[in-house]
Amino acid sequence: MGSELHDNALEEQLLPRDIPPHQESSRASFASSVFNVTHAIMGSGILGLAFVMANTGIIGFSVLLLIVALLAAYSIHLLLELCQQTALTSYEDLGFCAFKTTGKVMVAVAILIQNIGAMSSYLFIIKSEFPAVISGFLHISHNGTPWYLNGQILLIIIVICVVLPLALLRKIEFLGYTSGLSILFMVYFTAVVVVKKWYIPCPLFNGTVGYVKNISSDECTPKFLQISYKSAYAIPTMAFSFLCHTSVLPIYCELQRPSKSKMQKVVNIGITLSFSVYMLSALFGYLTFYGKVDSQLLHTYSQYLQHDTIIMSVRLCLLFSVLLTVPLLNFPARKSLTLLCFSNLRFSWFRHIIVTLGIQLLIVLLAMYVSSIQNIFGVVGSTTSSALLFIYPGLFYLQISREPLKSLKKLGALGLVILGILMGVVSLVLIILNWIHSTATVL
C-alpha cells in the first residue's frame, strides 16, 4: 500500500497539473488516444504477415504474434514508468537521461533507420501496386512493357509530383487527420481478405488460364507448425508491425487527465485491436493461398484476380493511405537526421530542402532495387525495430530506475534486453544466410 501511495503521489507530481479548463477540453479523449495508438501500430507490415504464417504454421504464427504483442505492451509499460520517474516525454530525452549524448544518438539513429525502412516499404507498395491498378482499369496485361505499367517509372513520377512537395512543407498537420483513414483502410483490407477466401478455390484458380496444374491436395492443407529458412523473417516482421514506441509518449502527453495506468489501458486496447486485425488478415490470407502466398499479400491477389473490382478498390485505398503516410514519416526521419548531423538546430530552408531531398532519394533507391518487401521487414525488423521495441526500453530502465537490480521490474527489463538482442542477432544472421543460399541457388 505504501508503494502504491508513493507511486500515486509521484505521478501527480510529474504529470501536468492545474490545467485550465479550455486546455483540458482540447486534449485527446481516451477513445481518440486508442485510435491514435492503433494508427501508430498498423502499417505496411500487415501485408507480410500471411507470408510469415505460411512459413511458421498457424499455431507457430499465433504463438509468436502473441509473444511479440505482449512484449510490446510490456516494453511500453517500462517507458511509461520512466516517464513517471523522470518527467521526460520523448524517446530521445530518455536516451539522453540514460546514456547522455550516446543514448540520444542511439535513439535518433534507430528512429531514422526505422522510418526510412517504413517509407521504403510504402514506396515498394506503390511500385508494385500502381501498375496493377492501371492495368486493371485498362483491362490489359500487366507485363511492364509500356512506361505507364513500369513500376519504377511510376514510382519516380509519384514521388516527384506528390510525395516530395508534401514532404518539403514545414508543417503538414492536415495530413495527420486524413491519414487516420488508414485504420479504416486496414479494416477494409482485412474484411476483403476474409470474404475473398471463400471465392478463390484450391487448387488456385486463375481467371485467365484456368486451374493451376500439378498442385497436390497436400498443398491445400493448412500447416500448423512449419519451419524453413524463410521462418527467419517471422519475428522481425512482427516487430516491425507492432512498433509504435516513438509515438506513444507524445500521445501520452496529449491524453486528457493523463496517468500511467490510463495510458497503459490505451496501449493495451490499441495492441489488442491491432493483434486482432493482424491475426485475421494473416489467417485468411494464408488459408486462401497456402504455400503460394507472396511476401506482399496484395500482389498474390493480382495473380489470380487481375480485374476484380473489390481487390482494385483495396489497392486504391492502400495507395491513398501510402501517399498520405510517407510525407508524415519524413518528418521524424528528417528531425533525427538533423539532430545527428547538425549542431545548430535553428530552422534553415537550405538545410531543410537538402535533408528532405537526401531522404527521398535514399528511400526511392531502396524501393526500386530491393527485390522483396520481406527483405525490408526482415532487416529493419531485426535491427532497429528490435532495438526500439525490446532493447532500448529495457536498457534505459536498467540505467535510469533506482530500484535494486533484483527487483521484479529490473529483472524483467534485463530479460527484455537479452531477448531482444538474441532475437535480433539470430534473425539477422538467418536472413543473411538465406540471401547467400538464394544467391547460390540462382548461380
Side-chain angles (χ1 to χ4, degrees), residues 12-23:
E12 290 177 0
Q13 176 183 355
L14 294 177
L15 293 173
R17 295 176 300 171
D18 301 324
I19 300 173
H22 68 279
Q23 291 187 16

Side-chain angles (χ1 to χ4, degrees), residues 388-405:
L388 292 169
L389 196 152
F390 303 124
I391 301 172
Y392 289 173
L395 198 61
F396 294 168
Y397 193 86
L398 289 172
Q399 181 68 15
I400 296 173
S401 178
R402 296 181 180 179
E403 298 176 20
L405 184 59

Side-chain angles (χ1 to χ4, degrees), residues 1-226:
M1 179 65 71
S3 175
E4 291 181 1
L5 291 175
H6 172 74
D7 288 346
N8 290 336
L10 182 60
E11 188 167 319
E12 290 177 0
Q13 176 183 355
L14 294 177
L15 293 173
R17 295 176 300 171
D18 301 324
I19 300 173
H22 68 279
Q23 291 187 16
E24 178 65 31
S25 62
S26 66
R27 287 176 169 266
S29 65
F30 183 89
S32 64
S33 297
V34 170
F35 175 87
N36 290 333
V37 169
T38 307
H39 176 242
I41 296 173
M42 287 198 290
S44 58
I46 194 173
L47 297 176
L49 292 175
F51 176 82
V52 171
M53 182 177 283
N55 291 283
T56 54
I58 296 176
I59 294 178
F61 175 90
S62 303
V63 171
L64 288 176
L65 191 69
L66 180 60
I67 290 173
V68 173
L70 292 175
L71 290 177
Y74 180 69
S75 62
I76 292 174
H77 169 72
L78 294 181
L79 289 178
L80 294 176
E81 284 278 355
L82 292 179
C83 287
Q84 178 180 302
Q85 293 178 23
T86 63
L88 299 175
T89 55
S90 80
Y91 214 144
E92 294 92 337
D93 289 341
L94 289 176
F96 183 82
C97 181
F99 300 104
K100 304 304 179 185
T101 303
T102 301
K104 194 168 187 176
V105 170
M106 286 164 52
V107 175
V109 169
I111 292 175
L112 176 62
I113 297 175
Q114 176 69 31
N115 280 281
I116 286 176
M119 287 188 286
S120 300
S121 70
Y122 283 125
L123 294 188
F124 188 96
I125 293 170
I126 291 177
K127 183 187 75 172
S128 61
E129 292 301 322
F130 202 23
V133 169
I134 294 176
S135 64
F137 278 113
L138 297 179
H139 295 280
I140 57 179
S141 175
H142 175 203
N143 54 23
T145 301
W147 70 266
Y148 51 84
L149 293 182
N150 188 307
Q152 294 187 348
I153 294 176
L154 292 174
L155 173 62
I156 294 173
I157 293 173
I158 289 176
V159 169
I160 292 175
C161 297
V162 180
V163 176
L164 183 58
L166 292 174
L168 283 170
L169 297 176
R170 284 191 66 180
K171 297 180 180 180
I172 50 171
E173 290 92 341
F174 70 95
L175 286 179
Y177 298 100
T178 56
S179 65
L181 291 172
S182 61
I183 293 182
L184 179 61
F185 295 154
M186 295 297 175
V187 173
Y188 177 52
F189 166 80
T190 302
V192 170
V193 170
V194 172
V195 171
K196 285 298 178 183
K197 185 263 178 289
W198 311 108
Y199 289 88
I200 302 179
C202 189
L204 295 172
F205 179 75
N206 185 306
T208 303
V209 300
Y211 284 95
V212 178
K213 304 297 182 183
N214 301 321
I215 295 182
S216 65
S217 59
D218 183 60
E219 292 194 32
C220 297
T221 303
K223 305 294 190 298
F224 291 96
L225 285 174
Q226 178 83 0

Side-chain angles (χ1 to χ4, degrees), residues 126-390:
I126 291 177
K127 183 187 75 172
S128 61
E129 292 301 322
F130 202 23
V133 169
I134 294 176
S135 64
F137 278 113
L138 297 179
H139 295 280
I140 57 179
S141 175
H142 175 203
N143 54 23
T145 301
W147 70 266
Y148 51 84
L149 293 182
N150 188 307
Q152 294 187 348
I153 294 176
L154 292 174
L155 173 62
I156 294 173
I157 293 173
I158 289 176
V159 169
I160 292 175
C161 297
V162 180
V163 176
L164 183 58
L166 292 174
L168 283 170
L169 297 176
R170 284 191 66 180
K171 297 180 180 180
I172 50 171
E173 290 92 341
F174 70 95
L175 286 179
Y177 298 100
T178 56
S179 65
L181 291 172
S182 61
I183 293 182
L184 179 61
F185 295 154
M186 295 297 175
V187 173
Y188 177 52
F189 166 80
T190 302
V192 170
V193 170
V194 172
V195 171
K196 285 298 178 183
K197 185 263 178 289
W198 311 108
Y199 289 88
I200 302 179
C202 189
L204 295 172
F205 179 75
N206 185 306
T208 303
V209 300
Y211 284 95
V212 178
K213 304 297 182 183
N214 301 321
I215 295 182
S216 65
S217 59
D218 183 60
E219 292 194 32
C220 297
T221 303
K223 305 294 190 298
F224 291 96
L225 285 174
Q226 178 83 0
I227 298 177
S228 70
Y229 63 91
K230 294 182 180 179
S231 302
Y233 291 97
I235 291 179
T237 302
M238 293 174 183
F240 186 96
S241 301
F242 274 106
L243 185 65
C244 61
H245 296 49
T246 57
S247 301
V248 162
L249 300 186
I251 293 172
Y252 180 32
C253 296
E254 295 298 320
L255 183 64
Q256 283 183 1
R257 294 182 294 279
S259 68
K260 179 173 63 66
S261 58
K262 187 176 182 181
M263 187 62 200
Q264 189 66 57
K265 291 178 182 178
V266 169
V267 170
N268 292 344
I269 294 173
I271 289 179
T272 301
L273 292 175
S274 302
F275 176 88
S276 302
V277 172
Y278 284 162
M279 191 68 205
L280 284 173
S281 62
L283 177 62
F284 284 89
Y286 169 62
L287 292 178
T288 302
F289 300 106
Y290 298 94
K292 300 297 181 181
V293 66
D294 195 84
S295 60
Q296 204 270 69
L297 181 56
L298 271 181
H299 183 67
T300 317
Y301 285 100
S302 67
Q303 300 178 44
Y304 303 99
L305 298 172
Q306 294 181 0
H307 306 297
D308 185 88
T309 304
I310 301 297
I311 296 298
M312 288 171 62
S313 70
V314 173
R315 286 199 179 96
L316 284 175
C317 289
L318 194 64
L319 289 173
F320 179 74
S321 175
V322 163
L323 290 177
L324 295 177
T325 304
V326 173
L328 284 175
L329 292 176
N330 186 84
F331 274 66
R334 183 171 56 215
K335 176 186 174 184
S336 297
L337 186 57
T338 302
L339 177 66
L340 291 169
C341 299
F342 303 98
S343 56
N344 180 14
L345 297 180
R346 294 184 62 183
F347 181 79
S348 164
W349 271 110
F350 177 77
R351 184 181 63 210
H352 178 87
I353 293 172
I354 293 298
V355 171
T356 302
L357 289 175
I359 292 173
Q360 293 302 308
L361 178 61
L362 178 58
I363 63 176
V364 167
L365 291 175
L366 286 173
M368 288 176 63
Y369 295 108
V370 171
S371 59
S372 169
I373 196 172
Q374 204 64 35
N375 291 330
I376 300 175
F377 294 154
V379 173
V380 176
S382 60
T383 54
T384 57
S385 296
S386 293
L388 292 169
L389 196 152
F390 303 124

